[in-house]
Amino acid sequence: MLTFPLINDTSRKIIHIDMDAFFAAVEIRDNPKLKGKPVVIARNPLETGGRGVVSTCSYEARTYGIHSAMSSKEAYDLCPQAVFISGNYEKYIQVSKQVRAIFARYTEKIEAASIDEAYLDVTENKIHSKSAVKIAKLIQHDIFTELHLTCSAGVSYNKFLAKIASDYEKPHGLTLVMPEEAKDFLAKLPIEKFHGVGKATLPKLQALGITTGKDLQNSDPLVLAERFGVYGWYLYLKANGIHNSKVINSRKRKSVGKERTYGKLLYLPDDIKGELARLSERVAKSLQSHELQGNIVILKLRYSDFTTLTKRKTYSEKIEQAEKLTLAAQEIFGELDYEESQGVRLLGVTVSGFGPTEEVLDRQWIEME
């Protein structure tokens, strides 16, 4: 096996914070009657004809085998007594901002991975502490006492290890992985626990006899690179505790959008225009909450047979108000070759073209209903 000269920076102190069952936890906090019940954030399949996807669920619901990205119908079949809640994304965004404000007490180096998780570089920090574990505990304490929510924390010298560590003991756990412990820690993990190994990659790795971190560590990196490209090489590095990616505290949002799938198909143009107005209002609220303006509007329309039309239009002026966005979305719809007989099952409105200076969460906010 060939060996490579590798640089491994173990001097950094990285924390990964992952809010526990975030959407469900917020709903339970705001409605104590839900405490101890299997709560599922998804539209009730009895009301939607089985359509819909689980965003997240409480730990009580997870004992029934329910998990995120599962269809709401499957979740109902597993647990008919579950409490289904459509979700309030605007509220979750506001709570996420409150969590981020707590992070900012300790460091300016914050990289939001999603609405409910973030990386923090506390190598240098605002309280001048040498202990990343101490800071992680303080953050957990602040979130619990001020927001009445819990989070799990992973602490290590790189983002990859911190991410895996935060998932190691949930909920409300804290796991530390020291540099000298990293390879042994990773060796014991099944490869499906490695962040980035998904359903497509997993069987391919297993076909090569790779089922654990130790198997990856003992693999020939050239074989991995030949089989999986650059991803295989990076996977080999990560399995050996090497991941020098920096915590980047500015991310450019590419788009803000809302989509909705309809259980009852839409046929009449006036009904479609009314739905576009409602979607535009929600997009406008999100734009305003993040102080964004865009001049590109994208309309997405999906027929009952799943044929999808997408059309975008660039405007000379920036858009952030609901009225202007509604007019733009309806204008684009009027330019589509719409076939009324087919019926519409999904509509989406998205705004982009924000310019080079906007700093927001590292994800596109296309939130599914």
Side-chain angles (χ1 to χ4, degrees):
M1 181 187 301
L2 294 176
T3 59
F4 293 75
L6 302 173
I7 298 173
N8 192 17
D9 183 0
T10 61
S11 65
R12 296 179 300 161
K13 298 175 182 178
I14 309 297
I15 301 172
H16 182 264
I17 298 290
D18 189 2
M19 299 300 294
D20 297 325
F22 184 48
F23 296 173
V26 172
E27 296 295 344
I28 294 168
R29 179 198 68 178
D30 295 346
N31 182 2
K33 293 181 180 179
L34 296 174
K35 188 174 182 179
K37 296 182 178 180
V39 175
V40 178
I41 304 301
R43 298 178 69 191
N44 194 317
L46 298 181
E47 299 173 357
T48 63
R51 295 184 179 89
V53 177
V54 175
S55 296
T56 190
C57 61
S58 66
Y59 287 95
E60 289 82 2
R62 296 181 191 192
T63 62
Y64 291 89
I66 299 173
H67 57 79
S68 60
M70 172 184 285
S71 73
S72 58
K73 181 182 184 302
E74 188 177 357
Y76 179 84
D77 291 341
L78 290 171
C79 184
Q81 69 271 31
V83 179
F84 286 84
I85 299 175
S86 295
N88 184 335
Y89 293 99
E90 283 72 22
K91 177 168 68 172
Y92 306 149
I93 290 171
Q94 292 306 312
V95 178
S96 180
K97 287 182 177 180
Q98 293 173 326
V99 172
R100 187 181 176 93
I102 290 174
F103 296 159
R105 296 172 189 171
Y106 300 96
T107 180
E108 293 294 338
K109 294 184 178 180
I110 305 166
E111 179 179 341
S114 69
I115 191 173
D116 62 348
E117 60 178 308
Y119 298 97
L120 289 69
D121 187 332
V122 296
T123 310
E124 297 179 1
N125 55 81
K126 294 181 178 180
I127 65 171
H128 309 291
S129 174
K130 295 182 179 180
S131 173
V133 170
K134 175 182 177 180
I135 295 173
K137 288 181 177 179
L138 288 171
I139 289 171
Q140 287 181 314
H141 174 269
D142 292 350
I143 289 173
F144 182 74
T145 57
E146 297 175 29
L147 305 180
H148 308 293
L149 299 168
T150 65
C151 66
S152 296
V155 180
S156 196
Y157 61 89
N158 68 41
K159 290 164 61 176
F160 177 70
L161 279 163
K163 166 76 174 177
I164 290 180
S166 69
D167 194 45
Y168 197 72
E169 186 180 349
K170 291 180 71 72
H172 202 43
L174 193 159
T175 301
L176 167 67
V177 180
M178 298 291 288
E180 61 271 19
E181 302 168 341
K183 289 193 68 172
D184 287 341
F185 176 80
L186 292 166
K188 298 173 184 176
L189 293 178
I191 55 170
E192 55 266 32
K193 290 291 185 180
F194 279 58
H195 181 57
V197 175
K199 293 181 179 179
T201 308
L202 180 59
K204 296 177 183 178
L205 288 168
Q206 292 172 334
L208 295 175
I210 300 172
T211 60
T212 66
K214 188 174 182 62
D215 294 331
L216 274 173
Q217 292 170 355
N218 293 332
S219 297
D220 186 333
L222 289 181
V223 173
L224 291 173
E226 182 181 355
R227 183 69 177 81
F228 300 101
V230 175
Y231 172 75
W233 168 241
Y234 283 127
L235 194 59
Y236 171 80
L237 293 180
K238 289 177 179 179
N240 284 278
I242 302 170
H243 185 230
N244 294 321
S245 175
K246 295 181 180 179
V247 173
I248 302 173
N249 59 356
S250 63
R251 290 291 183 175
K252 296 177 183 178
R253 177 184 293 225
K254 296 180 180 179
S255 64
V256 174
K258 308 289 182 183
E259 292 183 352
R260 183 172 181 182
T261 301
Y262 301 94
K264 183 178 179 180
L265 297 179
L266 304 175
Y267 291 94
L268 299 177
D270 285 347
D271 291 340
I272 293 171
K273 289 180 179 179
E275 287 300 316
L276 290 176
R278 281 183 275 275
L279 287 169
S280 296
E281 184 175 356
R282 294 187 59 217
V283 173
K285 287 181 180 179
S286 185
L287 287 169
Q288 292 162 22
S289 69
H290 292 289
E291 300 180 351
L292 292 172
Q293 296 178 324
N295 66 335
I296 300 173
V297 179
I298 304 164
L299 175 65
K300 181 177 178 181
L301 182 150
R302 180 170 294 153
Y303 288 118
S304 58
D305 64 354
F306 290 93
T307 300
T308 302
L309 305 178
T310 303
K311 184 176 178 62
R312 67 174 58 210
K313 192 167 185 176
T314 302
Y315 291 84
S316 58
E317 296 182 357
K318 296 286 188 179
I319 294 174
E320 65 170 344
Q321 299 296 329
E323 295 80 5
K324 289 185 178 180
L325 183 54
T326 296
L327 289 174
Q330 293 178 346
E331 178 185 30
I332 295 171
F333 172 68
E335 296 173 358
L336 290 177
D337 187 16
Y338 172 62
E339 298 183 18
E340 186 173 327
S341 61
Q342 291 196 39
V344 172
R345 75 164 57 242
L346 178 145
L347 287 172
V349 176
T350 299
V351 175
S352 64
F354 301 133
T357 60
E358 307 297 348
E359 297 181 0
V360 291
L361 297 179
D362 183 19
R363 63 181 283 175
Q364 292 185 2
W365 288 97
I366 297 181
E367 292 149 354
M368 308 299 293
E369 283 195 356

